């Protein structure tokens, strides 16, 4: 016999998508990973939010900096090591050429869906009104300046500045 916990819907928070209060919505996405498979969720969600008229801010920190660094942004990798969702034996990931093969396959699969590569996707997000911010601490740790970053990054700012800019926003950490 299975039991289920009682559900109290009286106190549930359910958004009213038809409410006029929807205007002024903000979405803040923190991009902390620079792997190819971790770049796309943030970019797709940002693009979707912009399409719905949501003010959207992306904050690139730690390894997420690879998404906006000129020298790495077009060459993000996908590896099966540590990614059990690939359903492949983890030992294969250590073989020479596996990361290149996995990256190539993922890029082809994404391109077949008419999803742009990372630099083009960032360009589309900016053209749609999205805001790109780089983390001050990550820039300092990696000795990077604005000259090293994608030209459309608005500034290198502190985490505190990002919190201020996105006051009241829904927050996603990827």
């Amino acid at each position: 016999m299975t039991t289920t916990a009682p559900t109290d819907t009286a106190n549930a928070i359910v958004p009213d998508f038809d409410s006029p209060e929807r205007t002024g919505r903000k979405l803040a996405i923190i991009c902390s990973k620079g792997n190819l498979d971790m770049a796309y969720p943030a970019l797709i969600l940002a693009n979707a939010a912009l399409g719905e008229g949501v003010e959207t801010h992306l904050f690139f920190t730690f390894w997420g900096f690879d998404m906006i660094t000129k020298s790495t942004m077009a060459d993000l990798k996908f590896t099966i090591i540590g990614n059990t969702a690939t359903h492949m034996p983890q030992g294969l990931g250590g073989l020479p050429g596996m990361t290149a093969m996995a990256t190539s396959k993922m890029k082809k699969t994404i391109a077949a869906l008419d999803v742009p590569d990372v630099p083009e996707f960032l360009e589309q997000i900016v053209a749609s009104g999205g805001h790109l911010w780089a983390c001050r601490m990550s820039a300092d740790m990696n000795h990077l300046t604005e000259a090293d970053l994608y030209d459309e990054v608005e500034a290198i700012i502190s985490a505190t500045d990002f919190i201020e800019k996105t006051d009241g926003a829904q927050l996603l950490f990827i």
Side-chain angles (χ1 to χ4, degrees):
M1 178 175 169
T2 59
T3 60
T4 57
T7 304
D8 180 12
T9 58
N11 295 325
I13 298 172
V14 178
D16 179 3
F17 294 108
D18 294 324
S19 169
E21 295 174 12
R22 282 189 67 212
T23 60
R25 288 179 61 198
K26 286 185 183 179
L27 176 63
I29 302 174
I30 299 173
C31 304
S32 67
K33 305 281 192 288
N35 299 21
L36 188 61
D37 59 320
M38 296 305 289
Y40 277 100
L43 299 177
I44 290 167
L45 289 167
N47 189 54
L50 288 163
E52 293 297 318
V54 177
E55 181 180 327
T56 303
H57 298 259
L58 291 98
F59 185 70
F60 299 90
T61 187
F62 284 84
W63 290 270
F65 244 64
D66 282 353
M67 294 171 63
I68 55 169
T69 302
K70 289 176 183 172
S71 63
T72 57
M73 62 189 293
D75 193 32
L76 301 182
K77 306 283 188 226
F78 171 61
T79 180
I80 66 169
I81 295 176
N83 189 342
T84 58
T86 62
H87 304 285
M88 296 178 68
Q90 290 297 295
L92 291 177
L95 296 175
M98 283 303 290
T99 296
M101 185 174 76
T103 299
S104 175
K105 180 167 176 32
M106 185 172 188
K107 284 184 175 181
K108 286 178 184 172
T109 302
I110 289 171
L113 296 172
D114 288 329
V115 176
D117 62 16
V118 170
E120 185 179 343
F121 218 155
L122 287 170
E123 186 179 317
Q124 287 180 10
I125 287 169
V126 170
S128 298
H131 302 275
L132 310 179
W133 306 101
C135 171
R136 163 59 56 205
M137 182 176 158
S138 297
D140 291 347
M141 287 173 52
N142 294 297
H143 309 288
L144 296 172
T145 66
E146 289 186 12
D148 299 307
L149 303 179
Y150 176 57
D151 292 339
E152 299 300 328
V153 171
E154 293 183 35
I156 298 173
I157 61 174
S158 70
T160 302
D161 291 339
F162 183 71
I163 296 298
E164 290 294 323
K165 288 182 180 301
T166 58
D167 182 38
Q170 294 175 290
L171 178 67
L172 298 174
F173 188 92
I174 300 175

